[in-house]
Amino acid sequence: MMSGGTLCVLKRSLLNSGKLIIPRVSPNTNRSFSERTLVAVKPDGVQRRLIGQVIERFERRGFRLVGLKMVQVSEELLAQHYVNLHKKPFYPSVLRYMTSGPVVAMVWEGHNVIKSTRTLVGHTNPAEAAPGTLRGDFSVHVGRNIVHASDSPEVAQKEISLWFQRSELIDWVCCDHAIMYDP
Ligand SMILES: Nc1ncnc2c1ncn2[C@@H]1O[C@H](COP(=O)(O)OP(=O)(O)OP(=O)(O)O)[C@@H](O)[C@H]1O
Ligand SMILES: Nc1ccn([C@@H]2O[C@H](COP(=O)(O)OP(=O)(O)O)[C@@H](O)[C@H]2O)c(=O)n1
Ligand SMILES: [Mg+2]
């Protein structure tokens, strides 16, 4: 596998040979391919040392990590996060589960990242999650499905601002983006 440094050298040599054209638009201002989503490794995923495996799937796919932190989540935050689950019979068990240990929250960015992430994470119920998805590969019970992911652009926006301060999100230039994206 090529390292980031190798990719940068490759990019420079393609640029010098005129074979690579970098779009003149700054990646910080062009948001057309820069949707963002909230992903969280839940307490069972952290306990089972699956943080690296989760991050690896997103990096391998080509998404850009713009925020990352480990948090002991409060019931107040969860009440806002799972606002549509308050009336569900399993809500108290979700609260107990999500506050049982630290959670690793992250924000990933990229083209269609919200939909792609849901596909990558898999069905809520691991029994219905396809092999190859995170839930399909690493979990068996709906109440211990190792990872959370926003399920729509509106929810992603709400969840990112609930879990992260603006100053905790970092815009940086991924040196292979000009290769991965068709401007
Ligand atoms: N019957 C159940 N028993 C226990 N826990 C459940 C049950 N159903 C759902 N949950 C938990 O509540 C979470 C929220 O349910 P939701 O319907 O939002 O699923 P999801 O969107 O796939 O999960 P998440 O929002 O955590 O990404 C589930 O991820 C799961 O951990
Ligand atoms: N029948 C259910 C549905 C959801 N849940 C939990 O609640 C979480 C959030 O539910 P959700 O409907 O937002 O599903 P996802 O977005 O997590 O796939 C799930 O991930 C499960 O952990 C559960 O325990 N039992
Ligand atoms: Mg959900």
Side-chain angles (χ1 to χ4, degrees):
M1 196 168 48
M2 265 188 275
S3 68
T6 313
L7 279 168
C8 285
V9 170
L10 174 66
K11 190 172 102 177
R12 258 200 308 278
S13 73
L14 285 170
L15 269 172
N16 292 340
S17 68
K19 286 184 184 142
L20 178 67
I21 298 158
I22 303 271
R24 290 255 164 247
V25 187
S26 150
N28 291 352
T29 53
N30 181 358
R31 290 265 161 249
S32 64
F33 53 70
S34 306
E35 193 174 81
R36 289 179 172 185
T37 196
L38 181 91
V39 175
V41 185
K42 296 179 176 185
D44 53 329
V46 174
Q47 289 289 341
R48 292 172 56 204
R49 298 169 298 274
L50 294 172
I51 302 164
Q53 301 250 20
V54 174
I55 291 176
E56 205 260 334
R57 302 278 179 118
F58 285 86
E59 288 197 312
R60 190 170 73 183
R61 186 73 183 270
F63 295 122
R64 179 169 76 135
L65 183 63
V66 296
L68 173 72
K69 63 182 172 184
M70 182 178 257
V71 277
Q72 179 65 49
V73 191
S74 66
E75 287 203 10
E76 291 70 31
L77 185 141
L78 285 172
Q80 293 181 65
H81 177 79
Y82 281 139
V83 74
N84 58 335
L85 299 184
H86 288 189
K87 294 199 170 76
K88 302 279 187 186
F90 56 84
Y91 181 64
S93 80
V94 171
L95 278 189
R96 274 197 304 278
Y97 158 46
M98 291 295 290
T99 54
S100 66
V103 166
V104 171
M106 27 194 162
V107 177
W108 288 92
E109 183 181 282
H111 181 63
N112 280 340
V113 71
I114 299 167
K115 191 157 190 280
S116 302
T117 294
R118 289 297 298 198
T119 308
L120 204 145
V121 164
H123 197 282
T124 303
N125 182 355
E128 293 179 51
T133 63
L134 284 164
R135 287 169 171 170
D137 283 353
F138 296 114
S139 61
V140 291
H141 190 276
V142 67
R144 295 289 183 275
N145 57 6
I146 76 151
V147 63
H148 163 79
S150 311
D151 60 14
S152 70
E154 299 70 38
V155 169
Q157 213 164 32
K158 181 202 115 181
E159 291 181 350
I160 290 168
S161 54
L162 184 61
W163 287 71
F164 283 87
Q165 306 286 329
R166 264 179 167 278
S167 59
E168 293 176 308
L169 302 177
I170 299 178
D171 247 330
W172 55 284
V173 178
C174 224
C175 81
D176 64 353
H177 268 211
I179 296 168
M180 291 199 62
Y181 287 100
D182 176 356

mmCIF file of all heavy atoms in Angstrom, residues 121-156:
data_model
loop_
_atom_site.group_PDB
_atom_site.id
_atom_site.type_symbol
_atom_site.label_atom_id
_atom_site.label_comp_id
_atom_site.label_asym_id
_atom_site.label_seq_id
_atom_site.Cartn_x
_atom_site.Cartn_y
_atom_site.Cartn_z
ATOM 1 N N VAL A 121 -21.791 0.784 7.363
ATOM 2 C CA VAL A 121 -22.124 0.386 8.745
ATOM 3 C C VAL A 121 -23.077 -0.818 8.747
ATOM 4 O O VAL A 121 -22.950 -1.717 9.558
ATOM 5 C CB VAL A 121 -22.728 1.589 9.507
ATOM 6 C CG1 VAL A 121 -23.441 1.160 10.780
ATOM 7 C CG2 VAL A 121 -21.625 2.593 9.835
ATOM 8 N N GLY A 122 -24.043 -0.814 7.845
ATOM 9 C CA GLY A 122 -24.969 -1.939 7.750
ATOM 10 C C GLY A 122 -26.264 -1.737 8.514
ATOM 11 O O GLY A 122 -26.437 -0.756 9.232
ATOM 12 N N HIS A 123 -27.157 -2.680 8.366
ATOM 13 C CA HIS A 123 -28.498 -2.623 8.959
ATOM 14 C C HIS A 123 -28.406 -2.492 10.485
ATOM 15 O O HIS A 123 -27.496 -3.045 11.103
ATOM 16 C CB HIS A 123 -29.241 -3.905 8.587
ATOM 17 C CG HIS A 123 -30.718 -3.810 8.785
ATOM 18 N ND1 HIS A 123 -31.324 -3.918 10.021
ATOM 19 C CD2 HIS A 123 -31.723 -3.610 7.900
ATOM 20 C CE1 HIS A 123 -32.639 -3.797 9.895
ATOM 21 N NE2 HIS A 123 -32.903 -3.608 8.608
ATOM 22 N N THR A 124 -29.393 -1.775 11.061
ATOM 23 C CA THR A 124 -29.439 -1.593 12.519
ATOM 24 C C THR A 124 -29.358 -2.932 13.257
ATOM 25 O O THR A 124 -28.636 -3.078 14.240
ATOM 26 C CB THR A 124 -30.748 -0.874 12.913
ATOM 27 O OG1 THR A 124 -30.817 0.363 12.217
ATOM 28 C CG2 THR A 124 -30.824 -0.633 14.409
ATOM 29 N N ASN A 125 -30.125 -3.897 12.764
ATOM 30 C CA ASN A 125 -30.122 -5.219 13.375
ATOM 31 C C ASN A 125 -29.013 -6.069 12.728
ATOM 32 O O ASN A 125 -29.098 -6.409 11.551
ATOM 33 C CB ASN A 125 -31.482 -5.885 13.147
ATOM 34 C CG ASN A 125 -31.560 -7.255 13.795
ATOM 35 O OD1 ASN A 125 -30.571 -7.751 14.342
ATOM 36 N ND2 ASN A 125 -32.727 -7.861 13.722
ATOM 37 N N PRO A 126 -27.972 -6.409 13.494
ATOM 38 C CA PRO A 126 -26.839 -7.141 12.908
ATOM 39 C C PRO A 126 -27.246 -8.408 12.156
ATOM 40 O O PRO A 126 -26.569 -8.810 11.212
ATOM 41 C CB PRO A 126 -25.970 -7.471 14.118
ATOM 42 C CG PRO A 126 -26.298 -6.403 15.110
ATOM 43 C CD PRO A 126 -27.757 -6.093 14.909
ATOM 44 N N ALA A 127 -28.372 -9.031 12.556
ATOM 45 C CA ALA A 127 -28.810 -10.246 11.860
ATOM 46 C C ALA A 127 -29.156 -9.947 10.403
ATOM 47 O O ALA A 127 -29.118 -10.827 9.548
ATOM 48 C CB ALA A 127 -30.003 -10.854 12.570
ATOM 49 N N GLU A 128 -29.507 -8.691 10.128
ATOM 50 C CA GLU A 128 -29.851 -8.304 8.754
ATOM 51 C C GLU A 128 -28.734 -7.524 8.074
ATOM 52 O O GLU A 128 -28.861 -7.109 6.923
ATOM 53 C CB GLU A 128 -31.145 -7.472 8.765
ATOM 54 C CG GLU A 128 -32.344 -8.287 9.191
ATOM 55 C CD GLU A 128 -33.607 -7.449 9.225
ATOM 56 O OE1 GLU A 128 -33.896 -6.771 8.228
ATOM 57 O OE2 GLU A 128 -34.272 -7.467 10.277
ATOM 58 N N ALA A 129 -27.654 -7.297 8.804
ATOM 59 C CA ALA A 129 -26.533 -6.540 8.221
ATOM 60 C C ALA A 129 -25.683 -7.464 7.343
ATOM 61 O O ALA A 129 -25.336 -8.574 7.748
ATOM 62 C CB ALA A 129 -25.683 -5.942 9.343
ATOM 63 N N ALA A 130 -25.384 -6.998 6.149
ATOM 64 C CA ALA A 130 -24.637 -7.833 5.195
ATOM 65 C C ALA A 130 -23.209 -8.079 5.681
ATOM 66 O O ALA A 130 -22.595 -7.196 6.298
ATOM 67 C CB ALA A 130 -24.607 -7.141 3.833
ATOM 68 N N PRO A 131 -22.684 -9.259 5.375
ATOM 69 C CA PRO A 131 -21.261 -9.494 5.648
ATOM 70 C C PRO A 131 -20.437 -8.442 4.902
ATOM 71 O O PRO A 131 -20.812 -8.039 3.801
ATOM 72 C CB PRO A 131 -21.001 -10.891 5.069
ATOM 73 C CG PRO A 131 -22.329 -11.523 4.905
ATOM 74 C CD PRO A 131 -23.324 -10.413 4.734
ATOM 75 N N GLY A 132 -19.368 -7.986 5.519
ATOM 76 C CA GLY A 132 -18.577 -6.914 4.882
ATOM 77 C C GLY A 132 -18.897 -5.566 5.479
ATOM 78 O O GLY A 132 -18.082 -4.653 5.435
ATOM 79 N N THR A 133 -20.120 -5.425 6.062
ATOM 80 C CA THR A 133 -20.432 -4.178 6.763
ATOM 81 C C THR A 133 -19.863 -4.276 8.180
ATOM 82 O O THR A 133 -19.599 -5.371 8.672
ATOM 83 C CB THR A 133 -21.961 -3.939 6.843
ATOM 84 O OG1 THR A 133 -22.557 -4.992 7.609
ATOM 85 C CG2 THR A 133 -22.588 -3.919 5.445
ATOM 86 N N LEU A 134 -19.705 -3.125 8.834
ATOM 87 C CA LEU A 134 -19.148 -3.151 10.197
ATOM 88 C C LEU A 134 -20.039 -3.958 11.133
ATOM 89 O O LEU A 134 -19.562 -4.818 11.870
ATOM 90 C CB LEU A 134 -18.965 -1.719 10.701
ATOM 91 C CG LEU A 134 -17.768 -0.983 10.103
ATOM 92 C CD1 LEU A 134 -17.862 0.527 10.327
ATOM 93 C CD2 LEU A 134 -16.460 -1.517 10.705
ATOM 94 N N ARG A 135 -21.350 -3.679 11.090
ATOM 95 C CA ARG A 135 -22.247 -4.421 11.975
ATOM 96 C C ARG A 135 -22.341 -5.886 11.552
ATOM 97 O O ARG A 135 -22.428 -6.784 12.398
ATOM 98 C CB ARG A 135 -23.629 -3.759 11.981
ATOM 99 C CG ARG A 135 -23.631 -2.432 12.751
ATOM 100 C CD ARG A 135 -24.908 -1.650 12.536
ATOM 101 N NE ARG A 135 -25.013 -0.491 13.423
ATOM 102 C CZ ARG A 135 -25.936 0.466 13.303
ATOM 103 N NH1 ARG A 135 -26.836 0.403 12.328
ATOM 104 N NH2 ARG A 135 -25.963 1.478 14.144
ATOM 105 N N GLY A 136 -22.331 -6.135 10.254
ATOM 106 C CA GLY A 136 -22.412 -7.506 9.744
ATOM 107 C C GLY A 136 -21.172 -8.320 10.068
ATOM 108 O O GLY A 136 -21.235 -9.543 10.154
ATOM 109 N N ASP A 137 -20.054 -7.652 10.245
ATOM 110 C CA ASP A 137 -18.807 -8.379 10.537
ATOM 111 C C ASP A 137 -18.503 -8.483 12.026
ATOM 112 O O ASP A 137 -17.795 -9.396 12.445
ATOM 113 C CB ASP A 137 -17.608 -7.678 9.873
ATOM 114 C CG ASP A 137 -17.540 -7.949 8.384
ATOM 115 O OD1 ASP A 137 -18.333 -8.768 7.881
ATOM 116 O OD2 ASP A 137 -16.684 -7.331 7.712
ATOM 117 N N PHE A 138 -18.996 -7.503 12.823
ATOM 118 C CA PHE A 138 -18.515 -7.446 14.208
ATOM 119 C C PHE A 138 -19.578 -7.529 15.288
ATOM 120 O O PHE A 138 -19.246 -7.363 16.463
ATOM 121 C CB PHE A 138 -17.713 -6.147 14.423
ATOM 122 C CG PHE A 138 -16.455 -6.066 13.609
ATOM 123 C CD1 PHE A 138 -16.310 -5.120 12.608
ATOM 124 C CD2 PHE A 138 -15.399 -6.939 13.839
ATOM 125 C CE1 PHE A 138 -15.152 -5.039 11.850
ATOM 126 C CE2 PHE A 138 -14.234 -6.877 13.094
ATOM 127 C CZ PHE A 138 -14.103 -5.927 12.093
ATOM 128 N N SER A 139 -20.870 -7.685 14.926
ATOM 129 C CA SER A 139 -21.868 -7.681 16.003
ATOM 130 C C SER A 139 -22.970 -8.695 15.749
ATOM 131 O O SER A 139 -23.159 -9.144 14.608
ATOM 132 C CB SER A 139 -22.453 -6.278 16.169
ATOM 133 O OG SER A 139 -23.104 -5.862 14.985
ATOM 134 N N VAL A 140 -23.692 -9.037 16.834
ATOM 135 C CA VAL A 140 -24.778 -10.031 16.713
ATOM 136 C C VAL A 140 -26.115 -9.529 17.263
ATOM 137 O O VAL A 140 -27.162 -10.053 16.913
ATOM 138 C CB VAL A 140 -24.424 -11.367 17.414
ATOM 139 C CG1 VAL A 140 -23.323 -12.093 16.674
ATOM 140 C CG2 VAL A 140 -24.054 -11.166 18.867
ATOM 141 N N HIS A 141 -26.094 -8.502 18.141
ATOM 142 C CA HIS A 141 -27.337 -8.078 18.798
ATOM 143 C C HIS A 141 -27.602 -6.605 18.522
ATOM 144 O O HIS A 141 -26.671 -5.795 18.568
ATOM 145 C CB HIS A 141 -27.221 -8.323 20.318
ATOM 146 C CG HIS A 141 -28.513 -8.147 21.045
ATOM 147 N ND1 HIS A 141 -28.970 -6.919 21.467
ATOM 148 C CD2 HIS A 141 -29.446 -9.052 21.405
ATOM 149 C CE1 HIS A 141 -30.141 -7.069 22.066
ATOM 150 N NE2 HIS A 141 -30.449 -8.359 22.035
ATOM 151 N N VAL A 142 -28.893 -6.299 18.276
ATOM 152 C CA VAL A 142 -29.250 -4.911 17.924
ATOM 153 C C VAL A 142 -28.873 -3.920 19.024
ATOM 154 O O VAL A 142 -28.549 -2.758 18.748
ATOM 155 C CB VAL A 142 -30.751 -4.805 17.551
ATOM 156 C CG1 VAL A 142 -31.642 -5.084 18.773
ATOM 157 C CG2 VAL A 142 -31.080 -3.458 16.938
ATOM 158 N N GLY A 143 -28.893 -4.383 20.256
ATOM 159 C CA GLY A 143 -28.552 -3.506 21.384
ATOM 160 C C GLY A 143 -27.058 -3.333 21.599
ATOM 161 O O GLY A 143 -26.628 -2.617 22.495
ATOM 162 N N ARG A 144 -26.242 -3.998 20.777
ATOM 163 C CA ARG A 144 -24.774 -3.890 20.887
ATOM 164 C C ARG A 144 -24.194 -3.880 19.460
ATOM 165 O O ARG A 144 -23.417 -4.765 19.085
ATOM 166 C CB ARG A 144 -24.186 -5.095 21.664
ATOM 167 C CG ARG A 144 -24.615 -5.174 23.106
ATOM 168 C CD ARG A 144 -23.969 -4.080 23.980
ATOM 169 N NE ARG A 144 -24.349 -4.227 25.387
ATOM 170 C CZ ARG A 144 -25.451 -3.745 25.937
ATOM 171 N NH1 ARG A 144 -26.323 -3.070 25.197
ATOM 172 N NH2 ARG A 144 -25.683 -3.916 27.221
ATOM 173 N N ASN A 145 -24.588 -2.856 18.710
ATOM 174 C CA ASN A 145 -24.221 -2.861 17.280
ATOM 175 C C ASN A 145 -23.010 -1.978 16.948
ATOM 176 O O ASN A 145 -22.870 -1.483 15.833
ATOM 177 C CB ASN A 145 -25.439 -2.571 16.400
ATOM 178 C CG ASN A 145 -26.113 -1.268 16.732
ATOM 179 O OD1 ASN A 145 -25.601 -0.507 17.555
ATOM 180 N ND2 ASN A 145 -27.232 -0.989 16.104
ATOM 181 N N ILE A 146 -22.153 -1.771 17.879
ATOM 182 C CA ILE A 146 -20.788 -1.199 17.839
ATOM 183 C C ILE A 146 -20.563 0.200 17.259
ATOM 184 O O ILE A 146 -19.564 0.832 17.566
ATOM 185 C CB ILE A 146 -19.728 -2.148 17.214
ATOM 186 C CG1 ILE A 146 -19.822 -2.204 15.684
ATOM 187 C CG2 ILE A 146 -19.740 -3.536 17.816
ATOM 188 C CD1 ILE A 146 -18.440 -2.500 15.049
ATOM 189 N N VAL A 147 -21.470 0.656 16.403
ATOM 190 C CA VAL A 147 -21.174 1.936 15.772
ATOM 191 C C VAL A 147 -22.459 2.699 15.458
ATOM 192 O O VAL A 147 -23.505 2.088 15.226
ATOM 193 C CB VAL A 147 -20.290 1.706 14.507
ATOM 194 C CG1 VAL A 147 -20.998 0.904 13.460
ATOM 195 C CG2 VAL A 147 -19.754 2.982 13.906
ATOM 196 N N HIS A 148 -22.370 4.006 15.538
ATOM 197 C CA HIS A 148 -23.484 4.876 15.143
ATOM 198 C C HIS A 148 -23.101 5.655 13.902
ATOM 199 O O HIS A 148 -21.938 6.033 13.736
ATOM 200 C CB HIS A 148 -23.818 5.878 16.265
ATOM 201 C CG HIS A 148 -24.653 7.021 15.749
ATOM 202 N ND1 HIS A 148 -26.003 6.901 15.537
ATOM 203 C CD2 HIS A 148 -24.303 8.260 15.334
ATOM 204 C CE1 HIS A 148 -26.460 8.043 15.023
ATOM 205 N NE2 HIS A 148 -25.451 8.886 14.895
ATOM 206 N N ALA A 149 -24.088 5.930 13.054
ATOM 207 C CA ALA A 149 -23.843 6.803 11.902
ATOM 208 C C ALA A 149 -25.097 7.616 11.607
ATOM 209 O O ALA A 149 -26.215 7.081 11.671
ATOM 210 C CB ALA A 149 -23.491 5.964 10.683
ATOM 211 N N SER A 150 -24.933 8.892 11.297
ATOM 212 C CA SER A 150 -26.077 9.746 10.949
ATOM 213 C C SER A 150 -26.792 9.151 9.737
ATOM 214 O O SER A 150 -26.156 8.571 8.859
ATOM 215 C CB SER A 150 -25.607 11.160 10.578
ATOM 216 O OG SER A 150 -24.721 11.669 11.530
ATOM 217 N N ASP A 151 -28.134 9.321 9.720
ATOM 218 C CA ASP A 151 -28.872 8.668 8.632
ATOM 219 C C ASP A 151 -29.455 9.589 7.574
ATOM 220 O O ASP A 151 -30.147 9.125 6.664
ATOM 221 C CB ASP A 151 -29.948 7.741 9.205
ATOM 222 C CG ASP A 151 -30.952 8.473 10.068
ATOM 223 O OD1 ASP A 151 -30.997 9.721 10.025
ATOM 224 O OD2 ASP A 151 -31.703 7.802 10.809
ATOM 225 N N SER A 152 -29.212 10.906 7.659
ATOM 226 C CA SER A 152 -29.668 11.826 6.602
ATOM 227 C C SER A 152 -28.878 13.129 6.733
ATOM 228 O O SER A 152 -28.274 13.377 7.788
ATOM 229 C CB SER A 152 -31.161 12.128 6.773
ATOM 230 O OG SER A 152 -31.348 12.925 7.929
ATOM 231 N N PRO A 153 -28.881 13.965 5.691
ATOM 232 C CA PRO A 153 -28.128 15.232 5.779
ATOM 233 C C PRO A 153 -28.601 16.113 6.931
ATOM 234 O O PRO A 153 -27.791 16.707 7.635
ATOM 235 C CB PRO A 153 -28.404 15.890 4.419
ATOM 236 C CG PRO A 153 -28.692 14.744 3.500
ATOM 237 C CD PRO A 153 -29.398 13.720 4.332
ATOM 238 N N GLU A 154 -29.914 16.160 7.182
ATOM 239 C CA GLU A 154 -30.444 16.998 8.270
ATOM 240 C C GLU A 154 -29.957 16.471 9.621
ATOM 241 O O GLU A 154 -29.512 17.233 10.487
ATOM 242 C CB GLU A 154 -31.988 16.997 8.278
ATOM 243 C CG GLU A 154 -32.653 17.538 7.017
ATOM 244 C CD GLU A 154 -32.484 16.637 5.798
ATOM 245 O OE1 GLU A 154 -32.528 15.401 5.958
ATOM 246 O OE2 GLU A 154 -32.277 17.169 4.682
ATOM 247 N N VAL A 155 -30.047 15.158 9.784
ATOM 248 C CA VAL A 155 -29.618 14.542 11.045
ATOM 249 C C VAL A 155 -28.105 14.701 11.228
ATOM 250 O O VAL A 155 -27.619 14.992 12.325
ATOM 251 C CB VAL A 155 -30.041 13.049 11.084
ATOM 252 C CG1 VAL A 155 -29.395 12.313 12.242
ATOM 253 C CG2 VAL A 155 -31.558 12.931 11.175
ATOM 254 N N ALA A 156 -27.350 14.554 10.136
ATOM 255 C CA ALA A 156 -25.887 14.694 10.225
ATOM 256 C C ALA A 156 -25.523 16.084 10.737
ATOM 257 O O ALA A 156 -24.697 16.239 11.640
ATOM 258 C CB ALA A 156 -25.244 14.429 8.870
#
